[in-house]
């Protein structure tokens, strides 16, 4: 990647750093690809740096990312980029759990696989929504289809609908583009659209789309050159990060007739509105710079910076930490062979099993004393979630 960065030394800005943050004590902040601009603008504000949105070249088309305009030389510039990482959603969660990051800013909450990894490591995380974004479907700008329903998207991505004429377009084959299984937008696709439905792997784009680091650039380039393509992303990435040349080739589709824009995301009428999270370890020292940054994001000053970045600040309440354990609710036997029993429930619950990639492999209702059969599942570890409408409990289960 070639970055066009404007650097000039300026000692004056070092004196304007907020809350005593310096390059020496600033926490390690990681996150999703789409949240990198917010990550960098936060750092600039707290370190007392000015910034410019600069074109970062990758592939044929570039993307816009904020760069500090006064980091006092090459070494300081390198240090700034070390402190504001973008390891992508999945790996930023792993880095936080492994204590290789102090705070992360992500486009989604933990997946089941990441939650299992945290539980295995004995780590709990606090996930707090700080901004609004939206999950969006993208098509070529010249595609006459302007809106899809959730059911139509499901049918396209399960292979039941393969021609654009079935959803109001031309008589042409649909080319769906997908994402790697642990990416932020893939999790959002499963959350908002697919649910328990499974997507096949699309062989013609598999090698390209699985190249995680360059996915966003490549997906847009592929879609920009493919009048019959469809893919998915987040609203902020398209509106704030992608350059104008690419945006002119790709359009966001309305969902159920409602387009994604600032108004429909703000008022919640757009169906696929998504939260952006600040995440921190629950054992983080409350007096640390990392925790103070995490708290600052929920202040009016922090919300003003979120707004400056182009996000809509979140106005909800309270943290969403890992659920507490309910020791009265048990799964047995564990390890299990053909299935397991559930005890300790006080009401009917929804039971779901996830493998460690986060894929849901089984879902059914269960009552106290109920038996969950899993003979069709391969051996290995699973995460079992039980939700009765009031609380959600997660257990690790091994099938032998």
């Amino acid at each position: 990647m070639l970055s066009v960065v404007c650097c000039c030394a300026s000692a004056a800005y070092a004196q304007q750093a907020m809350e005593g943050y310096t390059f020496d004590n600033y926490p390690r902040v990681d996150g999703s690809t789409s949240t990198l601009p917010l990550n960098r603008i936060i750092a600039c504000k707290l370190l007392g740096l000015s910034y410019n949105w600069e074109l970062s070249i990758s592939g044929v088309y570039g993307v816009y990312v904020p760069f500090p305009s006064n980091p006092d030389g090459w070494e300081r510039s390198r240090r700034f980029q070390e402190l504001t990482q973008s390891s992508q959603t999945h790996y930023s969660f792993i880095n936080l759990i492994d204590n290789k990051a102090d705070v992360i800013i992500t486009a989604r909450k933990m997946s089941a696989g990441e939650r299992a990894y945290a539980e295995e490591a004995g780590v709990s995380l606090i996930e707090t929504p700080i901004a609004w974004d939206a999950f969006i479907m993208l098509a070529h700008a010249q595609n006459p289809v302007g809106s899809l329903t959730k059911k139509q998207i499901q049918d396209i991505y399960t292979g039941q609908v393969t021609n654009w004429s079935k959803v109001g377009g031309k008589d042409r084959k649909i080319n769906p583009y997908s994402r790697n299984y642990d990416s932020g937008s893939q999790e959002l696709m499963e959350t908002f659209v697919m649910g328990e439905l499974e997507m096949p792997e699309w062989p013609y784009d598999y090698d390209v789309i699985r190249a995680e680091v360059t996915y966003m650039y490549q997906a847009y380039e592929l879609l920009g050159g493919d009048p019959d393509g469809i893919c998915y992303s987040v609203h902020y990435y398209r509106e704030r990060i992608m350059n104008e040349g690419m945006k002119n080739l790709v359009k966001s589709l309305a969902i159920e007739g409602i387009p994604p824009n600032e108004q429909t995301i703000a008022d919640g009428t757009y169906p696929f509105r998504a939260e952006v999270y600040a995440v921190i370890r629950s054992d983080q020292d409350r007096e640390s710079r990392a925790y103070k940054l995490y708290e600052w994001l929920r202040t009016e000053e922090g919300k003003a910076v979120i707004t400056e970045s182009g996000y809509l600040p979140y106005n909800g309440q309270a943290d969403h930490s890992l659920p507490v354990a309910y020791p009265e609710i048990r799964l047995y036997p564990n390890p299990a062979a053909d299935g397991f029993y559930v005890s300790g429930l006080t009401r009917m619950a929804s039971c779901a099993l996830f493998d460690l990639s986060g894929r849901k492999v089984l879902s059914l209702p269960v009552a106290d004393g109920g038996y969950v059969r899993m003979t069709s599942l391969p051996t290995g570890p699973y995460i079992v979630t039980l939700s009765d409408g009031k609380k959600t409990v997660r257990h690790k289960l091994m099938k032998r």
Side-chain angles (χ1 to χ4, degrees), residues 206-355:
Y206 181 82
D207 291 337
V208 176
I209 298 305
R210 298 289 282 199
E212 298 176 15
V213 174
T214 57
Y215 163 75
M216 282 294 192
Y217 314 118
Q218 290 176 335
Y220 274 81
E221 288 173 16
L222 283 168
L223 191 57
D226 183 358
D228 304 317
I230 184 172
C231 71
Y232 39 90
S233 182
V234 289
H235 178 73
Y236 185 87
Y237 192 95
R238 182 187 186 280
E239 296 302 315
R240 295 285 175 168
I241 300 178
M242 188 52 61
N243 73 78
E244 291 301 321
M246 179 54 68
K247 282 199 289 187
N248 291 336
L249 294 175
V250 179
K251 69 179 181 181
S252 300
L253 297 175
I255 303 300
E256 312 287 351
I258 302 172
N261 56 46
E262 187 168 322
Q263 180 60 46
T264 61
I265 295 171
D267 64 23
T269 55
Y270 179 70
F272 298 158
R273 184 169 72 160
E275 295 165 320
V276 176
Y277 291 88
V279 189
I280 198 165
R281 291 169 60 114
S282 63
D283 60 0
Q284 179 67 248
D285 182 358
R286 271 27 179 191
E287 298 302 316
S288 67
R289 294 287 175 188
Y291 198 83
K292 290 182 182 299
L293 184 155
Y294 159 77
E295 287 188 315
W296 176 81
L297 288 170
R298 293 174 289 171
T299 67
E300 291 306 311
E301 189 175 20
K303 290 179 181 180
V305 173
I306 291 169
T307 300
E308 182 177 325
S309 76
Y311 276 113
L312 294 168
Y314 186 86
N315 292 315
Q317 308 224 347
D319 296 345
H320 300 283
S321 57
L322 283 173
V324 298
Y326 293 89
E328 71 276 12
I329 298 179
R330 297 178 52 243
L331 309 181
Y332 65 93
N334 187 6
D338 295 329
F340 60 90
Y341 292 92
V342 180
S343 69
L345 294 174
T346 58
R347 57 199 295 177
M348 184 69 72
S350 172
C351 175
L353 273 70
F354 299 84
D355 63 22

Side-chain angles (χ1 to χ4, degrees), residues 151-210:
K151 179 63 165 58
Q152 287 172 329
I153 302 169
Q154 290 175 336
D155 289 345
I156 289 170
Y157 273 91
T158 54
Q160 296 182 61
V161 170
T162 59
N163 194 292
W164 282 108
S165 64
K166 299 296 184 181
V167 291
K170 296 180 180 179
D171 184 13
R172 297 180 66 92
K173 180 179 177 292
I174 300 174
N175 296 328
Y177 293 101
S178 61
R179 283 237 42 195
N180 47 297
Y181 73 89
D182 53 12
S183 71
S185 56
Q186 183 65 26
E187 290 283 342
L188 292 175
M189 174 68 162
E190 294 174 3
T191 298
F192 285 114
V193 179
M194 301 306 293
E196 298 178 14
L197 300 174
E198 292 190 21
M199 292 191 295
E201 291 178 343
W202 308 98
Y204 59 83
D205 72 345
Y206 181 82
D207 291 337
V208 176
I209 298 305
R210 298 289 282 199

